[in-house]
Amino acid sequence: MSDNETYMYRCLQLAKPGAGYTAPNPLVGAVLVYDGRIIGEGYHQQYGQAHAEVNCINSVKDAEKDLITDSVLYVSLEPCAHHGKTPPCADLIIKHKIKNVVIGCRDPFAAVDGKGIEKLNAAGIHVTVGIAEEQCKLLNKRFFNFHTKQRPYIILKWAQTADCKMATADKRLHITNQFTNRLVHKWRSEEMGILVGTNTALQDDPELTNRLWSGNSPVRLVVDRYLRLPLTLKIFNQQQKTIIFNTVKQEQDGNILYFKIDDDKSIIQQIMNACFKENIISILVEGGAKLLQSFIDEGLWDEARIITNETMHIDNGLAAPKIADFTLVRRENIFTDRIDYFYNNLPL
């Protein structure tokens, strides 16, 4: 492994703790290296706050500030060149007269997309692009998917019994164990939205938060075509931004947005379009079976995470969705539960 790759992998390592906090911005890490020694590190920690390059440069000790100019800056994603929530990072690099910048991959966001690199080159800075590029893109698969496909990154998730049932005919079924439940809440904290159908909301009355894990809870997304869900359900408690996809009205009620859709068009595609408009870059689809199968049938999904309780059989019940002809990429076991991970298309 080259020195450039070593430092870029460190950038990726630094960036990961930002998961669940930076969206809709990407995860980015930065490292400043002088004469083979790291003198500064940083990552993008929170949406709306300082970017990785700023935190990296600010981390340099006062006694070593004069080394910044002659150091090499490694950053996992192209520095921004536009004014967003924060000033352009490319300008900061130029201000500090850093002579060499190594970039993991180009930023697909239209406001950046090569403009940061062009600005650095125009300032006489030597720029290297494409170090550990595949890994850098994979880290930001949600961000890249959102800006290249104009839709959220879709993760399907469901729990099933050993005989592939999701529920009994008349009551909610607790399938997963307490440890897997905590993992699911971690997954929720990593995505911007969480989607359920009418029947799931009605029968389970879920809160759809990650109360068993730290971090931000996702935007609650609920399909309720004809607004038949009672307002006493937890999803209407105003404690979290909630979007109700329906055919009746377009209206804002505090933290709840009623988003009107056309009953004659694909509901799934309309949800995708609405989430793109609302800047929701990733969605965890948690049910029910019909909604999950709709995503599968339309081919609109990127990952599937299927939890199977290998000790539970109920014989008669609601059949789980069917996913076929896709490669299993990973499997793990948490006591009674087996988790299978699939990709529809390997990211990027």
Side-chain angles (χ1 to χ4, degrees):
M1 184 183 294
S2 67
D3 287 346
N4 279 352
E5 288 174 320
T6 298
Y7 292 125
M8 192 57 67
Y9 278 111
R10 177 57 181 159
C11 290
L12 294 174
Q13 188 179 44
L14 287 166
K16 288 178 180 178
Y21 296 95
T22 66
N25 282 356
L27 301 169
V28 185
V31 173
L32 199 60
V33 179
Y34 175 79
D35 195 24
R37 181 171 61 88
I38 294 177
I39 64 170
E41 293 185 333
Y43 71 98
H44 185 30
Q45 300 177 18
Q46 182 78 43
Y47 175 67
Q49 296 182 9
H51 287 187
E53 299 92 325
V54 177
N55 289 329
C56 176
I57 291 171
N58 287 345
S59 75
V60 178
K61 296 176 182 177
D62 289 341
E64 297 184 320
K65 296 286 188 188
D66 59 338
L67 303 179
I68 294 176
T69 296
D70 295 315
S71 298
V72 179
L73 177 65
Y74 291 84
V75 59
S76 56
L77 188 69
E78 176 182 3
C80 60
H82 69 297
H83 284 270
K85 294 283 185 180
T86 59
C89 291
D91 289 356
L92 179 70
I93 295 168
I94 294 168
K95 175 186 173 183
H96 283 275
K97 300 180 180 178
I98 298 172
K99 297 182 179 68
N100 290 283
V101 176
V102 179
I103 298 169
C105 61
R106 189 162 158 163
D107 189 328
F109 180 41
V112 184
D113 197 13
K115 298 178 180 67
I117 294 169
E118 290 174 8
K119 183 174 275 194
L120 296 178
N121 282 328
I125 296 171
H126 182 266
V127 180
T128 302
V129 184
I131 303 300
E133 183 174 19
E134 184 178 344
Q135 291 81 1
C136 291
K137 287 183 176 180
L138 189 60
L139 176 70
N140 280 306
K141 57 192 175 184
R142 296 161 178 80
F143 182 77
F144 271 79
N145 181 89
F146 187 76
H147 289 288
T148 58
K149 298 180 181 178
Q150 282 76 56
R151 68 162 175 82
Y153 189 84
I154 303 299
I155 301 172
L156 308 181
K157 168 262 165 183
W158 70 84
Q160 61 185 23
T161 62
D163 50 347
C164 299
K165 299 296 190 296
M166 290 182 68
T168 60
D170 57 353
K171 63 179 180 179
R172 183 181 182 186
L173 188 64
H174 294 279
I175 296 174
T176 56
N177 63 51
Q178 59 178 321
F179 303 100
T180 306
N181 288 343
R182 279 160 177 76
L183 176 61
V184 169
H185 281 238
K186 178 179 183 291
W187 292 347
R188 289 180 177 183
S189 76
E190 295 169 345
E191 311 310 329
M192 281 198 73
I194 182 169
L195 174 65
V196 297
T198 310
N199 289 336
T200 299
L202 189 61
Q203 294 168 9
D204 296 352
D205 191 15
E207 196 167 345
L208 300 181
T209 61
N210 55 298
R211 57 199 175 278
L212 300 181
W213 199 266
S214 61
N216 298 322
S217 288
V219 176
R220 299 184 290 204
L221 310 168
V222 183
V223 179
D224 183 16
R225 289 188 193 217
Y226 310 116
L227 296 183
R228 64 186 183 90
L229 292 176
L231 298 180
T232 53
L233 294 179
K234 294 186 182 75
I235 57 169
F236 295 107
N237 62 17
Q238 294 282 353
Q239 293 178 10
Q240 185 68 18
K241 181 178 179 179
T242 304
I243 301 177
I244 308 295
F245 296 100
N246 71 97
T247 62
V248 180
K249 64 181 179 179
Q250 181 79 29
E251 182 180 292
Q252 186 81 43
D253 177 18
N255 238 355
I256 299 172
L257 170 63
Y258 291 90
F259 195 99
K260 190 174 183 180
I261 57 175
D262 190 336
D263 214 9
D264 296 326
K265 297 179 181 178
S266 164
I267 290 179
I268 303 299
Q269 190 58 61
Q270 289 181 83
I271 292 172
M272 297 298 94
N273 295 340
C275 289
F276 184 74
K277 180 181 177 182
E278 293 291 321
N279 222 20
I280 297 171
I281 72 169
S282 65
I283 298 173
L284 183 66
V285 184
E286 285 211 359
K290 184 178 179 180
L291 182 63
L292 286 159
Q293 194 65 55
S294 295
F295 275 91
I296 295 169
D297 292 345
E298 294 197 30
L300 272 172
W301 63 280
D302 301 288
E303 287 184 42
R305 301 171 183 175
I306 305 173
I307 306 168
T308 303
N309 184 326
E310 297 183 300
T311 65
M312 183 181 290
H313 297 76
I314 63 169
D315 298 323
N316 295 317
L318 177 66
K322 288 182 170 52
I323 186 169
D325 301 325
F326 293 97
T327 304
L328 177 69
V329 294
R330 186 160 65 93
R331 172 172 285 174
E332 65 179 321
N333 288 86
I334 303 178
F335 296 102
T336 56
D337 297 337
R338 185 188 77 233
I339 309 174
D340 294 326
Y341 296 83
F342 297 85
Y343 281 129
N344 186 2
N345 294 297
L346 284 175
L348 312 163

